[in-house]
Amino acid sequence: MRRRSERWLLLALWLALALTTPTARAQETDALRLRALDAGDFPQVTLWFDAFSDDGFLTQAQVADVLAIEDMQPRPVDDLQLLKPGVRLVVAINLGPQLALRDAEGVSRLDKVFSALDTWAAQQPANSPDLWSLVGPGGPLALHQPPADWREALAAYQPDARNAQPDLRAFSFAVDAALDAPPDPLMKTVLLLITPHLEGEALATLENQQQRALDAGLPVLIWWVDSEAYLSHSGTLALQNLAAASGGRFSAFDEETAFLPPEDFLESSRYVWQATYGSALTTSGEHSFGLALTLPDGRQLVSDTRSLLLDIAPPNPIFVTPPTQIVRQVPPEAEYDLAALEPKAQPLEILVEFPDGHPRGLVRSTLYVDDQIAAENFGPPFERFTWDLSQYTSSGQHTLRVEVVDELGLSQLTVPWTVTVTVVQPPRGLLGTITRHRTTIIWGALGGAMLLAAILLIGSNRRQQRRTMPAAAPAPTEPIARPRRTTPRFRARRSAPSAGAFLRHYSGDGSGASQRIIPLEGQEITFGTDPVKAQVVLDDPSVSALHARIVRAEDGYRLYDLDSVAGVWLNYAPVPPAGIRLRAGDVIHFGRVGYRFALEREFTPPQPTVQGGNDD
């Protein structure tokens, strides 16, 4: 660990010097060239590069040998691969009389060039990813074809070199073909120029064509086909300079030595290194990227740097359909057990967006309730929480927020969300005691009534026995007149006056009970459990002391919620504070007690009930 830290420190000092010192990398034997970079999967960044040592393209390297340089800070590489995407070869033939010269056997120099090219192409594997092009002074003869197809185009090309004058038309067409977008952006392009020495106008225009090749980063290989006397000619020296400046090679042809295909150069051009690492950037803006490579002999190479504009923003968590109200109440089987309030928990879910367009992993998500940690995730799923509600035994409002932290350490909170928790309390006090023990009270009252009936029956039997016992004859007296009963033998019930509307009891399955009807008489009628405050008493624990009222107005009947705990609901929707107009058929719930609103019903006064009686 200590040696690694010292290496990083020395490398950082060396980088500061290397990156601020201009170098001519085209002439260097050892070179590290950054070809491309991609931050589309940020924070993962991918770099592609070429590495050259004294022996040519470096094909052996380990992950530990490469470091990414991010804003002048070294970062370890997570993955390193040597790719072989293939190469695009563009062969340009600049014709001239020098190529038409024949040897003692009558074989022209151009025939020898074509034979060498054909042999070279025939040696390529059938599944080669290479794409070759053939260009003459008249334009392209084959563009970006597999070597096998390219051989057919070469065999069909029969130019007249004897009557041609060397110029740079073929070279210009070849640069145009090299600038075509490759099917794989990692493919390298190499231009092979077959030409004699240049003179006159061709030599004068070479500088412009050379600059085009350099701007495109195009290495130029040159097969020089001419007499040895022209090796020191200015037109030949200019071609040698073109090969050196572009990073290519210059090869001269003579009568005794045929061209050797530059397969070694092309083979190294077929490779490219790919390095991937995790970025530590946390701010938006323009950032620089580069690479450092340690060679097997301990020497270190540093690439050129490239700048990239990045937008980096913290993740944005959003609640997914959060509740606005939660009602906790005891189930019917445990109506008076406060510990049995339900629901006991509330599931919550969030959606995490990345405004910068770079989705990345999360390391933590936290649910805050009233600014206190209520739940926390340190592993997936980070988007789901369970809010424990068992601690809430009284009604109130609570504020929810969720914080998420991504792998870069960037964090953000959701906007506050308010939830009303309504707790329907079981009855308390005398009414609660009576209600909780109503079974015992009922059975006790029934037993007392039976006992009283038994006592009365026994007393009645005894009185009847005394009446039937013989008694002494009374003294003769005047007969006593018994006054007749003047009260009537029937008692009529008071009939209910007519009402313009009424409420009919409504059960959950839509059925009703005709005997449970509430006429809406007068201008206002109130509902609740307190007989002092409410005109209509509803005996249910979900109903408040003064729960709601219905007012008869000019436009009909309006329903109002009088700040009840369990709420007033019309057609299963809460009644707004300003009240709401009722229509025939509406379903009203006072807490859990349901009624259906109806119009134009009058009560018919019942007939008197005759009560039979005997004179005492």
Side-chain angles (χ1 to χ4, degrees), residues 132-342:
W132 290 15
S133 300
L134 181 62
V135 179
L141 303 170
L143 281 177
H144 314 307
Q145 296 181 358
D149 297 338
W150 183 89
R151 290 183 64 198
E152 297 179 3
L154 179 66
Y157 184 40
Q158 300 294 328
D160 181 10
R162 183 179 298 275
N163 298 315
Q165 290 299 321
D167 56 31
L168 291 180
R169 288 182 298 165
F171 183 70
S172 178
F173 287 133
V175 174
D176 292 340
L179 293 177
D180 292 341
D184 186 339
L186 295 180
M187 291 184 73
K188 302 174 186 178
T189 303
V190 176
L191 193 153
L192 172 59
L193 176 62
I194 301 169
T195 180
H197 74 277
L198 302 178
E199 293 181 351
E201 184 178 351
L203 183 58
T205 59
L206 178 61
E207 183 177 353
N208 292 335
Q209 296 301 331
Q210 174 177 318
Q211 190 60 46
R212 292 183 63 207
L214 296 179
D215 292 342
L218 185 63
V220 180
L221 305 180
I222 296 179
W223 280 4
W224 183 78
V225 184
D226 212 326
S227 300
E228 186 177 354
Y230 290 98
L231 272 175
S232 59
H233 190 275
S234 60
T236 304
L237 297 177
L239 292 172
Q240 293 178 356
N241 180 67
L242 168 61
S246 64
R249 291 183 182 178
F250 180 90
S251 178
F253 173 86
D254 58 36
E255 300 298 336
E256 290 78 19
T257 305
F259 282 112
L260 294 177
E263 183 60 33
D264 57 341
F265 187 91
L266 232 63
E267 180 64 17
S268 65
S269 298
R270 289 189 174 98
Y271 292 100
V272 64
W273 285 102
Q274 174 181 286
T276 304
Y277 76 97
S279 174
L281 299 174
T282 58
T283 58
S284 298
E286 188 173 19
H287 301 277
S288 64
F289 300 86
L291 286 165
L293 172 67
T294 302
L295 296 175
D297 59 7
R299 290 177 297 161
Q300 291 181 326
L301 305 179
V302 179
S303 74
D304 53 329
T305 60
R306 296 197 182 186
S307 296
L308 187 64
L309 188 63
L310 287 178
D311 179 21
I312 305 174
N316 181 35
I318 304 171
F319 278 113
V320 177
T321 61
T324 57
Q325 185 178 35
I326 300 174
V327 178
R328 300 197 72 212
Q329 53 190 357
V330 295
E333 63 273 12
E335 190 173 0
Y336 307 105
D337 184 4
L338 197 61
L341 285 169
E342 294 180 350

Side-chain angles (χ1 to χ4, degrees), residues 46-117:
T46 303
L47 303 170
W48 291 273
F49 65 94
D50 296 331
F52 297 94
S53 64
D54 295 337
D55 299 327
F57 191 90
L58 184 68
T59 57
Q60 299 294 327
Q62 304 297 324
V63 173
D65 298 332
V66 183
L67 289 174
I69 309 300
E70 187 177 73
D71 287 346
M72 295 291 293
Q73 298 299 318
R75 294 285 301 166
V77 170
D78 301 321
D79 182 68
L80 182 67
Q81 297 184 38
L82 181 61
L83 307 180
K84 194 174 183 180
V87 66
R88 292 197 307 170
L89 174 66
V90 182
V91 178
I93 301 177
N94 185 22
L95 297 174
Q98 296 88 337
L99 276 70
L101 295 178
R102 299 176 181 272
D103 61 11
E105 297 179 358
V107 180
S108 70
R109 293 173 174 174
L110 185 60
D111 290 338
K112 294 181 180 181
V113 169
F114 278 13
S115 177
L117 291 174

Side-chain angles (χ1 to χ4, degrees), residues 16 69 78 84 89 134 205 367 401 415 456 475 509 543-544:
I69 309 300
D78 301 321
K84 194 174 183 180
L89 174 66
L134 181 62
T205 59
L367 170 66
R401 299 191 79 178
V415 296
L456 293 177
D509 58 2
V543 180
S544 301

